[in-house]
Amino acid sequence: MRDNVKILVVSRDPSIRDFIVDVLEFSVNREVLWARNETEALDHFDTYGQTDIIFCDEVLERMSGRDLLVAIKKDQPRCIGILIAAPPDDVHAVAPEVVDAYLESPSDIQALFDIVQRFVVEG
């Protein structure tokens, strides 16, 4: 199990954001930080430093979730990027170093638990 995992959830939709944060806090038993948009997300990294996992909506205010993950991974290549979107038809079109996993439905609790198991528990 990875210790002291820092998780950030980025979504402009408060119901999606709050649901994922609540499920993650319950399953990993620690505080999960959140941001409403890409600006807050980037500010988060300036304030809190290294983050281990970021859950990011595909649709943000001024850029796509993929673009945000690209920007973050330039400075933090070990950050795990989970895109809240259906995977593209051609998963090879998105570089695997940008998107580590997809969360197709943010209300799919089992999928969230599976991601926690894969990236937090199993490390």
Side-chain angles (χ1 to χ4, degrees):
M1 177 176 228
R2 295 174 65 164
D3 293 326
N4 301 319
V5 174
K6 289 185 187 175
I7 300 173
L8 175 67
V9 178
V10 183
S11 177
R12 61 188 184 145
D13 183 331
S15 62
I16 290 173
R17 185 179 61 238
D18 294 346
F19 179 79
I20 293 174
V21 167
D22 288 346
V23 170
L24 290 173
E25 284 182 338
F26 172 77
S27 64
V28 297
N29 195 25
R30 69 192 66 206
E31 181 182 17
V32 177
L33 301 173
W34 57 269
R36 290 180 284 250
N37 55 46
E38 60 276 8
T39 303
E40 287 184 5
L42 293 171
D43 288 346
H44 163 86
F45 290 96
D46 291 338
T47 303
Y48 297 101
Q50 177 68 34
T51 296
D52 300 295
I53 302 172
I54 181 170
F55 284 80
C56 184
D57 248 342
E58 172 58 18
V59 179
L60 299 171
E61 290 179 4
R62 291 183 289 278
M63 67 172 53
S64 72
R66 284 181 181 89
D67 290 341
L68 177 60
L69 291 176
V70 166
I72 289 168
K73 286 192 170 205
K74 283 182 183 175
D75 292 329
Q76 297 192 35
R78 293 182 181 209
C79 181
I80 295 167
I82 311 297
L83 196 62
I84 305 169
D89 291 333
D90 181 10
V91 294
H92 301 292
V94 179
E97 63 271 9
V98 174
V99 179
D100 297 286
Y102 292 89
L103 179 62
E104 291 186 51
S105 170
S107 62
D108 185 347
I109 293 175
Q110 186 59 52
L112 277 169
F113 286 157
D114 290 347
I115 287 172
V116 168
Q117 179 71 28
R118 178 176 169 196
F119 292 109
V120 177
V121 177
E122 295 171 4

